[in-house]
């Protein structure tokens, strides 16, 4: 199945207002994706609306968030059930620094319903580091039943290699996100303890604009999906 497991809705201040639940899901359908995940910065609050829209369209969904650890590393938490993100949201709330968002500077943080009507605004700035280490973020994702994918691992900003210098050998992550197939070799060349075959590699868009959502080019087998997230409904 064709997937894109990293994109931001209009709840993320850095994403465009056009990234509404309906626009995201309809664009994914137009691009003939089979499976998506919406992964806002440090929040799961757009997911109930995305869930309703995706299920009405018959689009498969993983329920996600992009956490930022205290080391400023981005890690995706991807869950097979919406309900699993409720305790994660409580955990996030308990680890947020509580800095108010300045809309005019960072952008709006809007929460919508399944009709793309604004039903709320997140008051605290979402693009912040949580008071939890990368290891604690991975542990929380696992505790609530999700899979942890280290985001854009070779990026200059907020990647594990930029912030820590390397991908730690003993960190129990479930997958690595790269931007292109050639980045895989760069990761392998610099990390002799990472083996191509025992690693789940993901290529996602990290879309903040509708147009940037992936085309149907990156594929995941049903077997890999089941290994990571169990049998789907
Ligand atoms: Zn990121
Ligand atoms: Zn992102």
């Amino acid at each position: 199945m064709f997937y894109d497991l990293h994109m931001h809705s209009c709840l993320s201040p850095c994403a465009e207002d056009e990234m509404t639940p309906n626009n995201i899901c309809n664009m994914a359908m137009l691009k003939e994706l089979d499976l998506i995940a919406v992964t806002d910065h440090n929040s799961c609050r757009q997911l109930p609306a995305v869930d309703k829209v995706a299920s009405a369209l018959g689009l498969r969904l993983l329920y996600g968030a992009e956490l930022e650890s205290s080391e400023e590393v981005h890690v995706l938490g991807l869950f097979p059930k919406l309900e699993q993100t409720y305790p994660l949201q409580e955990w996030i709330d308990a680890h947020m620094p509580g800095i108010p968002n300045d809309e005019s500077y960072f952008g709006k943080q809007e929460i919508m319903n399944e009709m793309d009507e604004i039903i709320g605004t997140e008051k605290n700035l979402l693009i912040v580091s949580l008071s939890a280490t990368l290891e604690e973020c991975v542990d929380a994702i696992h505790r609530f039943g999700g899979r942890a994918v280290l985001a854009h691992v070779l990026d200059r900003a907020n990647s594990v290699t930029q912030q820590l210098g390397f991908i730690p050998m003993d960190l129990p992550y479930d997958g690595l996100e790269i931007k292109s197939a050639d980045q895989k070799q760069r990761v392998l060349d610099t990390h002799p303890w990472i083996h191509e075959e025992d690693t789940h590699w993901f290529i996602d868009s990290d879309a903040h604009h509708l147009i940037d959502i992936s085309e149907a080019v990156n594929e995941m087998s049903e077997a890999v999906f089941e290994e990571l997230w169990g049998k789907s409904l």
Side-chain angles (χ1 to χ4, degrees), residues 46-154:
Q46 200 74 281
L47 299 178
V50 178
D51 178 49
K52 287 196 179 121
V53 176
S55 66
L57 290 169
L59 176 65
R60 284 169 83 172
L61 190 66
L62 283 166
Y63 303 89
E66 181 172 27
L67 306 183
E68 183 173 323
S69 74
S70 54
E71 305 93 335
E72 301 181 12
V73 175
H74 286 185
V75 54
L76 303 175
L78 298 169
F79 297 79
K81 295 195 182 88
L82 176 63
E83 296 73 38
Q84 293 167 317
T85 65
Y86 303 156
L88 177 70
Q89 185 64 58
E90 282 181 33
W91 180 89
I92 292 171
D93 290 341
H95 291 83
M96 284 284 274
I99 300 165
N101 181 30
D102 177 353
E103 261 192 19
S104 61
Y105 187 77
F106 293 107
K108 288 183 270 185
Q109 299 186 150
E110 287 172 337
I111 302 167
M112 294 189 161
N113 66 13
E114 69 274 21
M115 312 290 286
D116 287 357
E117 295 162 335
I118 298 164
I119 56 167
T121 300
E122 175 59 57
K123 300 280 180 251
N124 286 324
L125 179 62
L126 292 173
I127 40 172
V128 291
S129 301
L130 299 172
S131 59
T133 64
L134 179 57
E135 205 173 322
E136 287 166 341
C137 289
V138 169
D139 178 64
I141 290 165
H142 287 160
R143 194 146 24 97
F144 304 128
R147 294 294 192 172
V149 174
L150 299 181
H152 41 74
V153 293
L154 291 183

Side-chain angles (χ1 to χ4, degrees), residues 138-185:
V138 169
D139 178 64
I141 290 165
H142 287 160
R143 194 146 24 97
F144 304 128
R147 294 294 192 172
V149 174
L150 299 181
H152 41 74
V153 293
L154 291 183
D155 268 18
R156 283 173 194 278
N158 300 115
S159 70
V160 64
T161 57
Q162 181 68 30
Q163 301 303 124
L164 303 184
F166 57 91
I167 301 168
M169 197 184 299
D170 51 359
L171 185 70
Y173 57 83
D174 303 291
L176 299 177
E177 184 188 61
I178 47 178
K179 286 287 170 66
S180 58
D182 59 301
Q183 284 196 345
K184 186 195 285 188
Q185 197 55 50

Side-chain angles (χ1 to χ4, degrees), residues 6 8 39 41 66 74 152 206 208:
H6 185 169
H8 293 268
T39 51
H41 291 291
E66 181 172 27
H74 286 185
H152 41 74
D206 197 2
H208 288 66

